[in-house]
Amino acid sequence: MDSLMTPECARALLEWQVELGVDEAMADAPVDRYALGAAAGRQTVAAVPHAAPAPSDDAVDPVAAATAAAAQAADLPALATAMAAYPHCELRRGARRFVFADGNPAARVMIVGEAPGNEEDREGRPFVGPAGQLLDRMFAAIGLSRTSSNPATAVYITNVLPWRPPSNRTPEQAEIAMMLPFLRRHITLAAPEVIVMMGNTPCQALLGRAGITRIRGEWTQVLGLPALPMVHPAYLLRQQMAKREAWADLLSLRARLEAAR
Ligand code: URA
């Protein structure tokens, strides 16, 4: 068996476990459980040295800590530094990269997604996988691009969470709540004219509402700014029929930008 375990195979197995969200080794040394009798097994497992438990975090209110850290950030680089150093979100331990934002921070339009996926986690930039490529095509259709240096034709892109949830699971309420002060500060510092919320997670975070297929296309307000909920491009990849409504929402966004020019 051992002779079949090439370094490439071991690496592939490890990557597969990381992909599934494994973020922690249970012991420093592997245990061959076939070689253990039941009783001996219990003894040996008990004897495996464990890392000292981390100091208890119970006294810390993660939302209050995030609110204080976010408030101190005077500009976007300072905010990115404060977020990257924020220790209370467990997702950071399983993620490869911290994903802050992409595009032109001076853009009129700020897009808020959910959280990095696999490709974003590898590259450290939001919306670079298949959903991101569709997002780029959608906004290109109304003359907007993340690579434009002109704020009038640019977009700025971020997510509710800067770390990938294991196996791309939906973010938990507690994770959203603790990262929300950073997102609100992000919006305040970027000061876009319009916000676009992609899918349920940013709507849940910024509006306290989900049900994106019902609320999409209804203009609302976030921090005093016009905000438009749209279905997530990952949903559009699965549900081609929803593209017609997404196109209507993009046209509504374009009309809004043109009216305010
Ligand atoms: N989906 C998101 O919501 N954000 C990303 O960055 C990628 C996929």
Side-chain angles (χ1 to χ4, degrees), residues 96 116-125 128-130 133 164:
R96 292 186 186 89
N118 188 31
E119 288 84 356
E120 292 77 19
D121 184 48
R122 282 176 193 277
E123 256 194 56
R125 290 194 300 132
V128 292
Q133 287 156 23
R164 181 194 183 196

Side-chain angles (χ1 to χ4, degrees), residues 113-117 120 125-128 131 159 232:
E114 178 175 299
E120 292 77 19
R125 290 194 300 132
F127 280 106
V128 292
N159 281 310
H232 196 283

Side-chain angles (χ1 to χ4, degrees), residues 85-156:
Y86 177 74
H88 305 296
C89 184
E90 285 291 307
L91 294 176
R92 61 176 298 131
R93 284 159 32 91
R96 292 186 186 89
R97 303 278 296 263
F98 166 73
V99 180
F100 182 64
D102 196 23
N104 184 341
R108 296 177 76 191
V109 177
M110 180 167 181
I111 300 170
V112 184
E114 178 175 299
N118 188 31
E119 288 84 356
E120 292 77 19
D121 184 48
R122 282 176 193 277
E123 256 194 56
R125 290 194 300 132
F127 280 106
V128 292
Q133 287 156 23
L134 177 56
L135 179 120
D136 284 343
R137 291 199 298 278
M138 288 162 63
F139 283 85
I142 56 164
L144 302 178
S145 153
R146 71 170 93 192
T147 56
S148 172
S149 56
N150 176 358
T153 53
V155 292
Y156 181 57

Side-chain angles (χ1 to χ4, degrees), residues 134 233-246:
L134 177 56
Y235 178 82
L236 295 177
L237 288 173
R238 298 189 302 271
Q239 301 287 335
Q240 301 283 325
M241 293 298 284
K243 282 190 174 167
R244 179 207 288 257
E245 290 163 349

